[in-house]
Every structure is written in structure tokens, then in C-alpha cells.
Amino acid sequence: MSNARARTWRTQFTPWRSAGNRTETGATADEVVRSTGWVFNNETGKQLTLADFVETGDKEVRRYMRQFGFTPEQLAPLTLLEIGSGIGRMTASFTQQCAQVIATDVDAAFLERCHETVGQHGRPERLRTTHVTDGRTLQVGDRSVDVVFSYITLQHCERTDALSLTREAVRVARDGATIMLNYRSWVPADVALIPLGVLVRALWRLPIVGGRLSQQRWATRFGWQANRLSPDDVLGYLYKQPGVEQRLGEITVHHSAKRARSAKQAGVTVQPLNRVNASHWWLVIHLKG
Ligand SMILES: C[S@@+](CC[C@H](N)C(=O)[O-])C[C@H]1O[C@@H](n2cnc3c(N)ncnc32)[C@H](O)[C@@H]1O
């Protein structure tokens, strides 16, 4: 397996490359989950298996699809593109539920493992993977997918990359498609978390020490939150992109009931959703048919 280096390197890619390299050691899929699974679902343990790991993804896929209004019958004929698939924790479930799945990630080694995960727990004949070589552009044609989904990924991208991927989600989606993207916004603890994140990302650049640190869960958790984006940041950006506004249909911002949220743009529905992390929010866009 080869872990092709992203063409435009950013410090922000460090934790993914570090974990990606650890998936290339010839370890079994269960061993990969024990050594790197925490970068995807935050779970650790010497007894973890790929089956446990995929089960967490399956539960979340079913929950979000239900919450965002998709029945299994509606999903069945659709092509879904996932931004930030990792090693396929949720992708396996998507291949069980959709006709075609395009998994994309900034780390090529994760995509190799994603094929393995789907081979064991999904429908490999329905999977295609695409490396996001520059961290911001999808190598997928215009208007070619029915659903775009991204979970706990855009918060880990540099701000301009997260916004670019948002624009890309609209570009690759067909008329009438649904886009479901998860972001992170500000919480009071950011007063401490943001400077700690800056410090950890600076340390990642150091020779030897940086490499070791990027394998540590405690440090990674400080360094990997790369941006804070509000609904106004994302929608304000999207509305300015040429040719985008006229494609946008119904737009909903889903957020935790613990946090009040608003959106300046007229016609955007803002509503609480059960079991959403207080710092997270979802942008769900139905493109005009
Ligand atoms: C926390 S993991 C979540 C993976 C998966 N969504 C899940 O829930 O298991 C974040 C993923 O985003 C990927 N990622 C980070 N920056 C990215 C970028 N700029 N473009 C595409 N993928 C990216 C990482 O490689 C990693 O696989």
C-alpha cells in the first residue's frame, strides 16, 4: 500500500498521515482499529475489533439518515459521496444502504483500509474511493451524485479547505440532491482549547518529537480542531460563490438544543436536533430539482 503525500502539505494533515502510516504496517484490520480507531470514533481498548468499530458507524448512519428524513427505500437507488471516510467506519453501512458510494479522504492509506473494511462488512462492488490530494478539491464530476455526507471531518480542515469542500459538495451534487455536512462552532472551552491547539500544531512541525506527539491521543485531541465555523460563515461564503445561490433549495441548520443558533440568510430554517454535540451543527441543503 502506498500513502501518497497530499500535494499541498498542511500541518493540519499531520494526525491523519500519522495514523495512515500506522495502517500500512501489514497489521490485521482488528489491530488497525486498536491502534488508530480512536482517531475516528474516540474509542480505545485492547479488545476492539473491526466489527465493533463498524457497528458504531452503522448506528450513526442509521440515526442521521432517519433524522434527516431518508427512509431505506429512498436511499436504495442513490449514489452517495462521503467526505472524510477514514477507514470506512460509516462507509460500510452506506454501501449496504445505497446503490453506489464514493468514499473520499485526504489520506490515501485510509482509503486502502476503507476497501478492506467494506470488503468485510459492506458491499465492495458498490464502493469507489477518491483521494482528496490537496485537501480541498474532490476529483469527482459536476452534478454526479445524489447525496453528499460528511461527519466530524470539516472541523479538522483548515478554514479555507472546509469552505472549499462545502462548495465542492454543491458542485458534485445533482439537481434535487441532498447535502448533509457537519461542522464545529465555538464553545466557551475554546478560550483554552484554541491556544493549546496552536501549540500542539507548532510542536508537530518539530523533527522526531513532532512525529511521536502526533501518535498521542491526548495531544492529537488538542491539535486536530482546525477551525470554528458558524452557520453564517458557511452560508455567507456559499451564497457568494458564482452559480451556487440559484441552485440552493430548502436549507436547514440543525444544532444541539443546548446551544442557541441563528442564521442571517433569509429562508434558512434553524432547529434543534436530538443527540447533537453542543459544539457541532449540521447544514442540510436540498438542491432545487
Ligand atoms: C475524525 S475522522 C472521521 C472519519 C469518518 N467520518 C468517521 O466518522 O469515522 C476525520 C477524517 O477526515 C479526514 N480528513 C481530514 N482533513 C480532510 C480533508 N481536508 N479532506 C478530506 N478528508 C479529510 C481524515 O483523514 C479522517 O479520515
Side-chain angles (χ1 to χ4, degrees):
M1 285 189 271
S2 76
N3 186 4
R5 189 167 192 169
R7 260 186 229 134
T8 317
W9 180 257
R10 308 198 214 309
T11 311
Q12 203 47 50
F13 300 157
T14 304
W16 317 114
R17 184 152 193 244
S18 171
N21 287 344
R22 278 175 280 147
T23 72
E24 292 190 296
T25 55
T28 66
D30 288 344
E31 286 164 351
V32 164
V33 165
R34 284 173 212 139
S35 65
T36 67
W38 59 267
V39 306
F40 307 107
N41 69 350
N42 206 18
E43 287 188 15
T44 55
K46 293 197 171 90
Q47 307 302 320
L48 289 178
T49 64
L50 183 67
D52 301 330
F53 181 71
V54 164
E55 197 184 326
T56 69
D58 184 55
K59 281 190 183 145
E60 287 184 287
V61 164
R62 287 178 193 281
R63 169 154 66 93
Y64 288 122
M65 290 304 107
R66 197 172 50 244
Q67 285 182 315
F68 296 140
F70 278 102
T71 63
E73 293 71 28
Q74 285 168 325
L75 277 178
L78 302 183
T79 296
L80 178 144
L81 180 138
E82 184 182 9
I83 303 176
S85 62
I87 62 173
R89 188 178 73 91
M90 302 176 97
T91 323
S93 179
F94 282 131
T95 64
Q96 299 280 9
Q97 300 191 50
C98 302
Q100 298 288 327
V101 175
I102 305 171
T104 72
D105 202 282
V106 77
D107 192 87
F110 285 165
L111 294 174
E112 298 277 351
R113 289 289 181 171
C114 183
H115 278 286
E116 185 182 21
T117 302
V118 172
Q120 291 189 31
H121 294 279
R123 301 283 298 265
E125 71 283 7
R126 297 179 178 176
L127 177 68
R128 175 155 81 81
T129 56
T130 304
H131 185 201
V132 187
T133 50
D134 61 359
R136 50 172 42 215
T137 316
L138 303 173
Q139 307 299 315
V140 175
D142 293 356
R143 303 185 189 214
S144 54
V145 306
D146 306 296
V147 180
V148 182
F149 179 90
S150 184
Y151 183 53
I152 48 174
T153 292
L154 297 171
Q155 61 184 276
H156 298 301
C157 306
E158 274 188 9
R159 183 186 178 90
T160 54
D161 287 353
L163 291 172
S164 171
L165 288 168
T166 305
R167 184 187 58 212
E168 283 287 274
V170 178
R171 180 184 66 77
V172 302
R174 290 193 179 109
D175 292 344
T178 302
I179 299 169
M180 295 167 263
L181 306 174
N182 174 260
Y183 300 86
R184 189 189 198 283
S185 183
W186 296 85
V187 288
D190 285 341
V191 174
L193 292 176
I194 287 176
L196 279 167
V198 171
L199 175 67
V200 169
R201 288 194 288 279
L203 292 173
W204 280 343
R205 292 201 201 101
L206 297 177
I208 303 169
V209 177
R212 294 212 179 117
L213 202 62
S214 67
Q215 297 179 25
Q216 303 297 317
R217 181 166 170 257
W218 66 268
T220 300
R221 286 168 59 76
F222 289 126
W224 68 3
Q225 307 290 357
N227 71 64
R228 308 293 190 273
L229 284 167
S230 70
D232 285 338
D233 292 332
V234 176
L235 289 167
Y237 168 86
L238 216 44
Y239 274 81
K240 278 193 217 133
Q241 303 310 303
V244 168
E245 185 175 350
Q246 50 271 46
R247 296 194 67 208
L248 304 178
E250 194 183 307
I251 302 179
T252 309
V253 168
H254 295 278
H255 62 94
S256 160
K258 291 182 194 147
R259 281 288 306 271
R261 298 236 183 245
S262 60
K264 277 192 209 141
Q265 282 75 17
V268 174
T269 305
V270 181
Q271 64 184 42
L273 188 68
N274 286 337
R275 295 162 68 195
V276 173
N277 184 300
S279 65
H280 289 191
W281 60 276
W282 285 89
L283 177 62
V284 178
I285 302 176
H286 296 289
L287 293 185
K288 288 180 186 155

